[in-house]
Amino acid sequence: MTDITIALSKGRIFEDTTPLLKSAGIIASDDPESSRKLILSTNRSNVRLIIVRATDVPTYVQYGAADLGVAGKDVLLEHGGAGLYQPLDLNIARCRLMVAVPDGFDYESAVRQGARLRVATKYVQTAREHFANKGVHVDLIKLYGSMELAPLVGLADAIVDLVSSGNTLKANHLKAVEEIVPISARLIINQAALKLKAQAIQPILDAFNETVKK
Ligand code: PRT
Ligand code: MG
């Protein structure tokens, strides 16, 4: 039987993918929240899960270290998608990639006046493209997390970050001023694996498809 490796990140992606895996008859043998294992076996002897950082999922799948993976659209936009087949929007881990500024900052008028903005973000590629399309001059500052802090301490005028409930922005006296793109997690498949392991992969893809449609 062909061996299949599926790359997931722990937290919301793992939690939201668990029911989809179940619909394909795949049940993890351990919970990544409590186990320190990075390779999890499943009830299916030919299927294993690997637990990697959310931003690393496309890389594992691109190089074929994993056949399948689940990654946020935000992560895929930054990665670029080389070597990946993206057949299915799983409609999970939904949020929006947005521009946010301090409560008192008049973003619209800054943009209108052609101000040069300092923008802190983990999403440098996507942000660069967004502001270039708008004709807004920006200096991008790459951060790896907690972007909400940057405007509060004078590191940046604005941030580009994911927003779901809006509570994190509110708690830090920030407001969303522009949506860049709606985000959800996608199934990704290594392009070569899809051809070479079609018999093993297609039933998983079909089950995911059915469950997502419901
Ligand atoms: O957390 P870690 O540094 O380990 O990695 P990660 O942040 O890359 O992974 P994880 O598991 O937090 O996120 C995985 C994926 O979930 C992301 O790539 C998104 O596609 C998706 N997702 C959905 C989110 C959110 N919703 C979300 N709200 N990822 C992050 N957030 C963060 C956001 O960055 C902000 O800090 O939650 C905060 C805002 O939430 P609200 O509800 O306060 O608006
Ligand atoms: Mg996170």
Side-chain angles (χ1 to χ4, degrees):
M1 246 195 308
T2 320
D3 287 316
I4 297 291
T5 300
I6 305 174
L8 299 173
S9 53
K10 61 182 183 182
R12 66 191 108 215
I13 297 279
F14 187 89
E15 281 155 29
D16 293 357
T17 304
T18 296
L20 292 164
L21 287 170
K22 200 174 167 214
S23 74
I26 300 165
I27 296 165
S29 57
D30 280 291
D31 177 358
E33 293 306 329
S34 50
S35 160
R36 284 169 187 266
K37 286 183 189 167
L38 298 176
I39 301 179
L40 306 182
S41 58
T42 72
N43 61 321
R44 299 246 309 260
S45 60
N46 67 323
V47 179
R48 64 178 185 169
L49 310 181
I50 61 173
I51 304 300
V52 304
R53 285 297 291 265
T55 41
D56 292 334
V57 168
T59 307
Y60 278 84
V61 177
Q62 172 186 5
Y63 289 100
D67 303 297
L68 309 176
V70 175
K73 175 91 188 266
D74 51 321
V75 167
L76 290 166
L77 286 171
E78 288 296 304
H79 172 271
L84 303 176
Y85 181 55
Q86 300 183 30
L88 189 57
D89 182 347
L90 299 175
N91 236 324
I92 58 173
R94 290 176 59 180
C95 58
R96 303 190 288 165
L97 187 66
M98 303 198 79
V99 181
V101 298
D103 279 338
F105 186 84
D106 189 346
Y107 175 72
E108 284 307 324
S109 93
V111 166
R112 237 182 294 118
Q113 288 162 19
R116 193 170 185 96
L117 296 176
R118 288 219 294 180
V119 180
T121 187
K122 187 160 129 181
Y123 303 102
V124 173
Q125 303 298 339
T126 315
R128 180 176 293 118
E129 200 182 314
H130 171 73
F131 291 112
N133 288 340
K134 267 185 69 104
V136 175
H137 297 288
V138 291
D139 292 313
L140 293 168
I141 300 174
K142 167 84 184 183
L143 290 178
Y144 293 86
S146 301
M147 272 78 84
E148 294 89 352
L149 178 63
L152 307 182
V153 294
L155 179 62
D157 304 305
I159 61 171
V160 166
D161 195 9
L162 302 174
V163 179
S164 65
S165 67
N167 289 340
T168 308
L169 291 182
K170 203 183 288 171
N172 292 292
H173 309 291
L174 302 170
K175 59 180 178 185
V177 288
E178 198 162 74
E179 174 169 326
I180 299 178
V181 61
I183 301 292
S184 56
R186 314 295 160 111
L187 179 67
I188 58 175
I189 307 181
N190 175 274
Q191 282 174 352
L194 185 64
K195 296 193 188 89
L196 298 170
K197 302 183 178 182
Q199 267 200 323
I201 291 176
Q202 194 61 47
I204 299 174
L205 181 52
D206 292 344
F208 274 38
N209 230 321
E210 274 306 304
T211 309
V212 168
K213 271 197 300 192
K214 277 183 199 155

